[in-house]
Amino acid sequence: MYSEIVMDHFRNPRNVGHMENADGVGQVGNPKCGDIMKIYLKIKDELIEDVKFETFGCGSAIASSSMATELIKGKSIHEAVELTNKAVIEALGGLPPVKVHCSVLAEQAVKSALYDYAQKTNKVIKGLENYKAEDDEIHCQQ
Ligand code: FES
């Protein structure tokens, strides 16, 4: 049912943990399953130098967060904002249809953290112009 890659990222998640003095922090939740994902970003010269996550959720959510952090580490904030849940699913070698929303949580947690960074630094990140922090809970209802 789950790919080897999903199992690997579930059993040995990359970049787990809390980050002190993060430049951007994003937290999203899915009201239906109650799962919560938090992403921390360390950003220098618009590059994501480091990223950590804490996920209180299912195995697919943990694997999705782990993969999402791997996909954006070392990338620019403008590349990271384009990360889609589809890219996360592809990199994971697929997710069962009922678990697609878990990858949406990862995409939205990254966007939420980037939005937080943009707010704190007065930057405009293309693709986040209409983002509203209070929408975080709503973003993940699928
Ligand atoms: Fe809710 Fe996976 S079941 S994030």
Side-chain angles (χ1 to χ4, degrees):
M1 180 176 185
Y2 290 108
S3 75
E4 282 296 317
I5 310 172
V6 172
M7 293 311 292
D8 178 37
H9 278 262
F10 168 59
R11 292 203 185 101
N12 311 296
R14 286 37 154 201
N15 311 307
V16 182
H18 178 84
M19 184 190 288
E20 293 293 333
N21 304 318
D23 297 308
V25 181
Q27 179 171 315
V28 292
N30 182 309
K32 278 196 194 143
C33 62
D35 292 350
I36 295 168
M37 195 180 288
K38 195 166 183 178
I39 292 219
Y40 304 87
L41 301 173
K42 178 60 70 195
I43 298 169
K44 197 173 173 210
D45 298 332
E46 302 205 342
L47 282 182
I48 298 174
E49 283 200 322
D50 198 12
V51 47
K52 291 261 182 280
F53 81 87
E54 292 172 317
T55 292
F56 183 81
C58 73
S60 298
I62 291 167
S64 294
S65 352
S66 171
M67 184 55 86
T69 57
E70 286 287 271
L71 290 173
I72 63 166
K73 205 175 190 174
K75 299 269 167 65
S76 79
I77 52 175
H78 306 287
E79 289 171 300
V81 79
E82 286 175 7
L83 179 78
T84 61
N85 77 301
K86 280 203 181 107
V88 173
I89 293 176
E90 258 171 44
L92 285 172
L95 276 178
V98 292
K99 291 291 179 179
V100 166
H101 78 269
C102 317
S103 64
V104 174
L105 216 52
E107 176 190 323
Q108 292 303 333
V110 169
K111 287 198 167 67
S112 174
L114 287 167
Y115 179 77
D116 181 50
Y117 168 75
Q119 290 286 298
K120 285 176 180 157
T121 54
N122 264 330
K123 282 195 195 306
V124 177
I125 303 179
K126 201 166 161 273
L128 285 183
E129 298 93 341
N130 301 317
Y131 192 89
K132 290 195 194 74
E134 58 267 28
D135 287 346
D136 283 352
E137 290 286 327
I138 304 160
H139 274 134
C140 301
Q141 278 191 357
Q142 31 180 306

